[in-house]
Amino acid sequence: MGRMIIQLRSARREDAARLVVLLGQLGYPTDLAAVQERLDYWLDDPSSQLLGAEDNGELVGVAALHFIPMLEVTGRFARLVALVVDDRCRGQGVGRQLVTAAEERAQNAGCVKLEVTSSRRRDRAHAFYRGLGYEDICATSARFIKPLRIQPLRT
Ligand SMILES: CC(C)(COP(=O)(O)OP(=O)(O)OC[C@H]1O[C@@H](n2cnc3c(N)ncnc32)[C@H](O)[C@@H]1OP(=O)(O)O)[C@@H](O)C(=O)NCCC(=O)NCCS
């Protein structure tokens, strides 16, 4: 498989329009105003990093990373909150480079592990994660979710 040469860099406000496209491809259609609002709380958060993959000045992938402190053991872990590569650039190593960079950033932030959740229907993404050394632990670890009443967002 050919490996695409990309530049890894932090995402910035000017990436909002490209993020609209990438999030649409991830299955979350949105608009510029909504992404700008999200960037307001992403870019200023010291416990979060938005990693971008740039090709010829164009954002072609993004990995959203958040660091979570643990109490039951010492240290923190990282959560890959979102990952998407432009559908014109898939299968060329961009996703792998983003995940490797996310792992490095997480390690540098003192994280002992990285986790990602992914819908059961995303078989292809699961093969991708397995290939990068990630293990599906859902048979031994339940995941509970309860929607909460929405409060105005405090940034
Ligand atoms: C999943 C995704 C991020 C992977 O990015 P990518 O740039 O296409 O993947 P890469 O080219 O870096 O692949 C890395 C490795 O995973 C493997 N891989 C990638 N897609 C695969 C697939 N569909 N099935 C099996 N293996 C796969 C590749 O063979 C490659 O291994 P290699 O480097 O040894 O050849 C990208 O395909 C994507 O954005 N998909 C849609 C959105 C999505 O599902 N995001 C994840 C949500 S949890």
Side-chain angles (χ1 to χ4, degrees), residues 1-3 22 25-28 60-62 80-87 89-99 116-119 121-132:
M1 193 196 312
R3 191 168 185 274
L22 292 172
Q25 292 184 8
L26 186 60
Y28 294 88
V60 295
V62 69
L80 194 55
V81 175
L83 173 71
V84 58
V85 171
D86 191 306
D87 55 18
C89 306
R90 289 181 193 163
Q92 299 177 69
V94 178
R96 175 189 284 274
Q97 292 176 75
L98 279 168
V99 171
V116 58
T117 66
S118 178
S119 164
R121 68 189 162 74
R122 291 195 193 271
D123 297 338
R124 291 205 289 240
H126 299 177
F128 163 80
Y129 290 124
R130 278 201 190 85
L132 296 183

Side-chain angles (χ1 to χ4, degrees), residues 70-113:
M70 291 185 283
L71 185 62
E72 69 282 23
V73 294
T74 305
R76 304 202 277 178
F77 71 99
R79 161 71 78 90
L80 194 55
V81 175
L83 173 71
V84 58
V85 171
D86 191 306
D87 55 18
R88 298 167 301 169
C89 306
R90 289 181 193 163
Q92 299 177 69
V94 178
R96 175 189 284 274
Q97 292 176 75
L98 279 168
V99 171
T100 301
E103 289 171 0
E104 282 168 11
R105 302 253 184 140
Q107 266 178 310
N108 291 340
C111 295
V112 299
K113 60 188 173 185

